Amino acid sequence: DQQVKQNSPSLSVQEGRISILNCDYTNSMFDYFLWYKKYPAEGPTFLISISSIKDKNEDGRFTVFLNKSAKHLSLHIVPSQPGDSAVYFCAASASNYQLIWGAGTKLIIKP
Amino acid sequence: DARVTQTPRDKVTEMGQEVTMRCQPILGHNTVFWYRQTMMQGLELLAYFRNRAPLDDSGMPKDRFSAEMPDATLATLKIQPSEPRDSAVYFCASGFGSLTEAFFGQGTRLTVV
């Protein structure tokens, strides 16, 4: 039973446009959500996070939106750049207990 | 440049053999995680340690997997005997006690044939 789901295995976006990566979760106890970015042959690196008391968190070109009623979060990248091509993982935790990870979405930025 | 170091980077072994993966966490970090990444499951937590003490290894198949931290600079994950279904990339990560924002190593790609 996957508690964190990233339903799109891959996404292709034109350079300069907006990339929107989606994540759904089933556990209403989750109170902290994170996005990690992973390049081939490297470990994931932390990108941005959001607490359940917020509905939006912004860091430069990256914004994460949280819709608690829909149990949905999304990561927006504007504008998309070639270096953004990577696999993006959504992860969630409840009361700082272990992180539950999604399967990842591969983002491809086309020049 | 502080980083988590994992060895080996790649390991090919025959079914039934023992495999040991090693991790050097970032100096000063008190929490260490072992994750496994497979194509279908994404990242799954196998075990984690805080101040070298195992806090949770419920994600690990107990009959063949074991994780230890002999000292603060070394974490090990051992599989004995290895099976083809163990083929995956194994990541070690370390942090300051929070489960979030952990720093990952480059991973060990294990192939069991």
Side-chain angles (χ1 to χ4, degrees), chain B residues 2 4 11-13 17 31 46 58 75 77-78 81 97 108 113:
Chain B
V4 175
K11 176 73 176 179
V12 180
T13 191
Q17 296 297 306
T31 310
L46 296 175
S58 58
L77 179 66
K78 190 174 294 186
T108 294
V113 297

Side-chain angles (χ1 to χ4, degrees), chain A residues 42-54:
Chain A
E42 293 185 13
T45 55
F46 171 74
L47 189 58
I48 192 169
S49 63
I50 187 167
S51 163
S52 60
I53 62 174
K54 293 186 173 183

Side-chain angles (χ1 to χ4, degrees), chain A residues 2 32 34 36 38 41-46 49 87 89 93 96-104, chain B residues 9 35 37 39-43 45 48 50 56 58 91 97-102 104-107:
Chain A
Q2 282 188 294
Y32 198 69
L34 303 90
Y36 275 78
K38 183 184 178 303
E42 293 185 13
T45 55
F46 171 74
S49 63
V87 176
F89 290 98
S93 75
N96 204 31
Y97 193 56
Q98 66 169 275
L99 277 179
I100 306 297
W101 295 70
Chain B
R9 289 294 307 277
Y35 282 97
Q37 183 187 14
M39 292 295 291
M40 301 304 295
Q41 297 292 330
L43 278 161
L45 180 67
Y48 80 94
R50 183 168 294 162
D56 189 344
S58 58
F91 287 104
S98 166
L99 286 166
T100 59
E101 301 179 33
F104 281 76
Q106 292 180 295

Side-chain angles (χ1 to χ4, degrees), chain B residues 28-80:
Chain B
H29 283 185
N30 65 347
T31 310
V32 174
F33 310 87
W34 281 105
Y35 282 97
R36 174 168 63 182
Q37 183 187 14
T38 60
M39 292 295 291
M40 301 304 295
Q41 297 292 330
L43 278 161
E44 53 178 332
L45 180 67
L46 296 175
Y48 80 94
F49 296 78
R50 183 168 294 162
N51 298 322
R52 294 178 55 203
L55 288 193
D56 189 344
D57 60 1
S58 58
M60 218 162 56
K62 299 291 190 304
D63 55 339
R64 299 183 299 108
F65 284 59
S66 61
E68 295 180 347
M69 276 201 77
D71 61 59
T73 64
L74 177 64
T76 62
L77 179 66
K78 190 174 294 186
I79 308 174
Q80 167 64 16

